[in-house]
Protein backbone atom coordinates (compact mmCIF):
# COMPACT_ATOMS: atom_id res chain seq x y z
CA UNK A 1 0.00 0.00 0.00
CA UNK A 2 1.32 3.46 -0.88
CA UNK A 3 0.03 6.66 0.73
CA UNK A 4 -1.63 9.02 -1.75
CA UNK A 5 -2.19 11.99 0.55
CA UNK A 6 0.51 14.13 2.09
CA UNK A 7 1.22 17.67 3.21
CA UNK A 8 4.41 19.20 1.87
CA UNK A 9 3.86 22.69 3.22
CA UNK A 10 6.86 22.51 5.54
CA UNK A 11 8.92 19.90 3.74
CA UNK A 12 12.59 20.04 2.86
CA UNK A 13 13.95 18.25 -0.20
CA UNK A 14 16.85 15.96 0.59
CA UNK A 15 18.58 14.47 -2.43
CA UNK A 16 18.61 10.65 -2.32
CA UNK A 17 22.41 10.53 -2.46
CA UNK A 18 22.63 12.64 0.73
CA UNK A 19 20.43 10.23 2.72
CA UNK A 20 20.12 10.32 6.49
CA UNK A 21 23.13 12.58 7.02
CA UNK A 22 21.28 15.41 5.28
CA UNK A 23 18.20 14.83 7.41
CA UNK A 24 20.32 15.03 10.57
CA UNK A 25 22.02 18.22 9.38
CA UNK A 26 18.61 19.77 8.57
CA UNK A 27 17.49 18.92 12.12
CA UNK A 28 20.66 20.57 13.47
CA UNK A 29 20.21 23.68 11.34
CA UNK A 30 16.70 24.21 12.67
CA UNK A 31 17.98 23.90 16.22
CA UNK A 32 15.96 20.73 16.70
CA UNK A 33 12.71 22.69 16.47
CA UNK A 34 9.58 20.75 15.58
CA UNK A 35 7.87 22.06 12.50
CA UNK A 36 4.32 21.29 11.46
CA UNK A 37 0.86 22.75 11.14
CA UNK A 38 -0.63 23.54 14.58
CA UNK A 39 -3.66 21.38 15.27
CA UNK A 40 -2.53 18.67 12.85
CA UNK A 41 0.71 17.57 14.52
CA UNK A 42 0.58 14.45 16.66
CA UNK A 43 0.92 15.35 20.36
CA UNK A 44 3.57 12.63 20.76
CA UNK A 45 5.71 14.29 18.06
CA UNK A 46 5.22 17.68 19.70
CA UNK A 47 6.32 16.28 23.04
CA UNK A 48 9.23 14.03 22.00
CA UNK A 49 10.33 15.19 18.56
CA UNK A 50 10.29 11.59 17.31
CA UNK A 51 8.67 11.33 13.91
CA UNK A 52 7.30 8.26 12.19
CA UNK A 53 4.41 6.98 10.11
CA UNK A 54 2.11 6.91 13.14
CA UNK A 55 2.37 10.70 13.36
CA UNK A 56 0.81 10.81 9.91
CA UNK A 57 -2.05 8.60 11.11
CA UNK A 58 -2.94 11.28 13.67
CA UNK A 59 -2.92 13.98 10.96
CA UNK A 60 -5.15 11.80 8.77
CA UNK A 61 -7.59 11.55 11.69
CA UNK A 62 -7.76 15.34 11.90
CA UNK A 63 -8.47 15.54 8.16
CA UNK A 64 -11.22 12.89 8.43
CA UNK A 65 -12.75 14.77 11.36
CA UNK A 66 -12.84 17.95 9.29
CA UNK A 67 -14.54 16.17 6.39
CA UNK A 68 -17.01 14.42 8.69
CA UNK A 69 -18.06 17.52 10.66
CA UNK A 70 -17.67 20.09 7.89
CA UNK A 71 -15.57 22.22 10.26
CA UNK A 72 -11.90 23.17 10.18
CA UNK A 73 -9.40 22.43 12.95
CA UNK A 74 -8.39 25.91 14.13
CA UNK A 75 -7.08 27.43 17.36
CA UNK A 76 -10.41 29.21 17.91
CA UNK A 77 -12.42 26.08 17.04
CA UNK A 78 -10.49 23.05 18.32
CA UNK A 79 -12.64 20.25 16.92
CA UNK A 80 -10.20 17.55 18.07
CA UNK A 81 -10.43 18.85 21.62
CA UNK A 82 -14.19 19.09 21.44
CA UNK A 83 -15.19 15.86 19.70
CA UNK A 84 -12.36 13.54 20.73
CA UNK A 85 -11.33 14.69 24.19
CA UNK A 86 -14.20 16.66 25.76
CA UNK A 87 -17.45 15.47 24.17
CA UNK A 88 -16.77 12.21 22.27
CA UNK A 89 -20.39 11.13 22.74
CA UNK A 90 -21.53 14.00 20.47
CA UNK A 91 -19.33 13.03 17.50
CA UNK A 92 -21.73 10.52 15.92
CA UNK A 93 -24.45 13.19 15.77
CA UNK A 94 -22.10 15.86 14.39
CA UNK A 95 -21.90 14.70 10.78
CA UNK A 96 -22.06 17.48 8.20
CA UNK A 97 -25.58 17.34 6.75
CA UNK A 98 -24.83 19.62 3.80
CA UNK A 99 -24.19 16.51 1.68
CA UNK A 100 -27.44 14.83 2.70
CA UNK A 101 -28.32 12.26 5.32
CA UNK A 102 -25.66 9.80 6.49
CA UNK A 103 -26.57 6.14 6.91
CA UNK A 104 -25.90 4.93 10.45
CA UNK A 105 -23.50 2.06 9.61
CA UNK A 106 -21.02 4.05 7.46
CA UNK A 107 -21.25 6.97 9.87
CA UNK A 108 -20.35 4.72 12.82
CA UNK A 109 -17.47 3.16 10.84
CA UNK A 110 -16.02 6.59 10.00
CA UNK A 111 -16.30 7.68 13.63
CA UNK A 112 -14.50 4.51 14.75
CA UNK A 113 -11.72 5.12 12.22
CA UNK A 114 -11.31 8.76 13.30
CA UNK A 115 -11.19 7.83 16.96
CA UNK A 116 -8.61 5.15 16.18
CA UNK A 117 -6.43 7.69 14.41
CA UNK A 118 -6.84 10.45 16.98
CA UNK A 119 -6.94 8.59 20.29
CA UNK A 120 -4.37 5.88 19.78
CA UNK A 121 -1.39 8.26 19.95
CA UNK A 122 -1.68 7.89 23.73
CA UNK A 123 -0.79 4.20 23.36
CA UNK A 124 1.23 4.14 20.15
CA UNK A 125 1.29 0.34 20.05
CA UNK A 126 -2.46 0.38 19.33
CA UNK A 127 -2.18 3.06 16.65
CA UNK A 128 -3.02 1.98 13.08
CA UNK A 129 -0.19 1.91 10.54
CA UNK A 130 -0.17 3.78 7.24
Amino acid sequence: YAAKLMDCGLSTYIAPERGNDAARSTWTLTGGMRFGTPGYMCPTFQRTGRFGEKNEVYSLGVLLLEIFTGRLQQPQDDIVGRYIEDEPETLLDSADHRGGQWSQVPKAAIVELMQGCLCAYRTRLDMPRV
Side-chain angles (χ1 to χ4, degrees):
Y1 177 78
K4 303 277 193 264
L5 176 69
M6 75 183 218
D7 175 9
C8 294
L10 298 171
S11 65
T12 300
Y13 174 74
I14 298 174
E17 62 273 6
R18 292 194 58 209
N20 288 333
D21 292 335
R24 277 193 284 281
S25 66
T26 301
W27 179 257
T28 303
L29 288 174
T30 61
M33 293 172 47
R34 294 167 186 88
F35 290 101
T37 306
Y40 295 82
M41 287 189 297
C42 180
T44 302
F45 171 67
Q46 290 177 346
R47 190 178 70 255
T48 67
R50 287 189 312 238
F51 186 81
E53 66 182 13
K54 292 184 176 186
N55 298 98
E56 294 298 325
V57 171
Y58 181 88
S59 301
L60 174 64
V62 176
L63 179 65
L64 292 172
L65 183 61
E66 289 180 326
I67 293 168
F68 185 77
T69 62
R71 299 169 66 182
L72 294 175
Q73 171 69 5
Q74 302 175 19
Q76 65 273 21
D77 186 18
D78 179 14
I79 61 175
V80 172
R82 177 177 179 185
Y83 293 116
I84 302 300
E85 296 170 5
D86 298 337
E87 305 169 14
E89 67 280 356
T90 65
L91 181 56
L92 196 58
D93 297 323
S94 300
D96 186 1
H97 293 288
R98 291 179 290 179
Q101 286 290 65
W102 293 67
S103 298
Q104 195 64 23
V105 173
K107 188 164 69 166
I110 292 169
V111 166
E112 183 179 350
L113 176 62
M114 284 185 295
Q115 289 173 327
C117 291
L118 294 169
C119 295
Y121 77 88
R122 294 181 184 110
T123 56
R124 292 176 65 80
L125 295 175
D126 297 334
M127 196 171 217
R129 295 180 60 115
V130 174

